[in-house]
Each structure stands twice: as C-alpha cells, then as structure tokens.
Amino acid sequence: MIIRTFPLRRHEDERGWFAELIRASALPKPIKQANLSRSKRGVIRGLHYHERGQDDLFVCLEGMVRVVVLDRGSGEVFTEDIGDDNPVAIYVPGVYAHGYEALTDCLFMYLVTEEYDAAHPDEHGVPWDDERVRQLWSTSSPILSARDLSS
C-alpha cells in the first residue's frame, strides 16, 4: 500500500500560526478540486473508493480525525489520527477504500485530483464496519449518512 504523509510545520508567533498545506510539485497528480466538510464528533464518512483514478489529499484543519485506508485486494490497512495534535496531510490513491472518523468536532479538507461529476459519480462503498477495519474506529455506534449506512 502506498500512502504518503506530509508533516505540516507550523510557524507560530504572537498572532497565531501559519502552515503550508502542500506544494503541488510534491504530489503525483495535480489537484483539480478542493472540498471542505464539518463533522460532529462520532461521525464516520466512508469508506469509499474510486475506480477512475481520483486520489485525495486529506487535511484536518480543526479538531482531530482518524483516517482509515483499506487495500481491498490485500486487506492491508493504514490508519493515522491527524489534526490539532498531529498536523499531517495524507495523500491516498483513490483505488484504496478510505474514510475518516471525527474524533472531535472537526473541519476537514480534502483536495482531489478529479472534479466531482454528480451525473456519473465515481464512488463505490465498503461498509464502515467491514471486518478488516471495524476494530480501527474508536466508536462502534457512529453517526452515519444514509449512503454510508447502506454500503
């Protein structure tokens, strides 16, 4: 499994802090769309994957999330908690099933390498409680969307 992490160095002073999120030259594919979501503590979004090649760069801007990634073929998993206590961006090739759990109320940004097409969405689901990842979440009774509930 090839997952790339990018530590986000914070430069602090009396005003607060500044961090560079990513340099496009560090990524294998160009970013084409930026998305932002706010989630309540206990929400799990995903797992889903893309067959047409969309990759995602995950950044937790506020709070903490647990990113979970599953290689559907090998069963190999990756997980990392990112956000306030661990400022890291994670690049996930879209062929892997991926999602996140809000460990706190959070503001989560994902930059993607393909624009979303509502007429032909490239999102395919894996149940959040699949036996290969069920033990990785901090909750056994998450807040789920109808789509994530039915994966």
Side-chain angles (χ1 to χ4, degrees):
M1 180 180 301
I2 301 172
I3 305 293
R4 296 184 63 190
T5 60
F6 299 92
L8 304 177
R9 290 196 316 239
R10 291 182 178 165
H11 306 279
E12 298 187 42
D13 64 20
E14 62 281 354
R15 300 168 295 170
W17 57 263
F18 164 85
E20 182 178 294
L21 294 181
I22 195 66
R23 289 183 182 226
S25 62
L27 300 176
K29 295 179 184 177
I31 297 299
K32 294 186 178 177
Q33 184 173 319
N35 302 307
L36 183 65
S37 68
R38 177 167 293 286
S39 296
K40 298 176 186 176
R41 179 180 182 202
V43 165
I44 291 179
R45 294 187 187 255
L47 299 168
H48 69 269
Y49 59 94
H50 311 284
E51 292 183 334
R52 294 194 300 257
Q54 175 182 304
D55 296 349
D56 295 25
L57 179 72
F58 296 143
V59 182
C60 184
L61 301 173
E62 182 179 281
M64 289 293 295
V65 303
R66 176 164 297 156
V67 173
V68 173
V69 181
L70 168 67
D71 181 326
R72 295 170 294 116
S74 71
E76 184 179 358
V77 296
F78 168 91
T79 184
E80 186 160 355
D81 296 351
I82 64 172
D84 292 341
D85 298 336
N86 183 26
V88 172
I90 298 177
Y91 187 89
V92 179
V95 295
Y96 301 133
H98 52 276
Y100 73 91
E101 174 187 1
L103 300 172
T104 66
D105 289 357
C106 68
L107 191 58
F108 188 78
M109 183 167 131
Y110 48 108
L111 303 139
V112 298
T113 61
E114 297 296 328
E115 293 179 358
Y116 182 73
D117 180 355
H120 299 93
D122 182 26
E123 293 184 343
H124 311 278
V126 171
W128 72 273
D129 60 351
D130 181 286
E131 65 183 25
R132 298 168 291 182
V133 298
R134 180 177 37 231
Q135 76 285 0
L136 301 175
W137 308 112
S138 74
T139 182
S140 58
S141 56
I143 302 166
L144 299 167
S145 70
R147 181 180 77 170
D148 290 336
L149 185 61
S150 64
S151 291

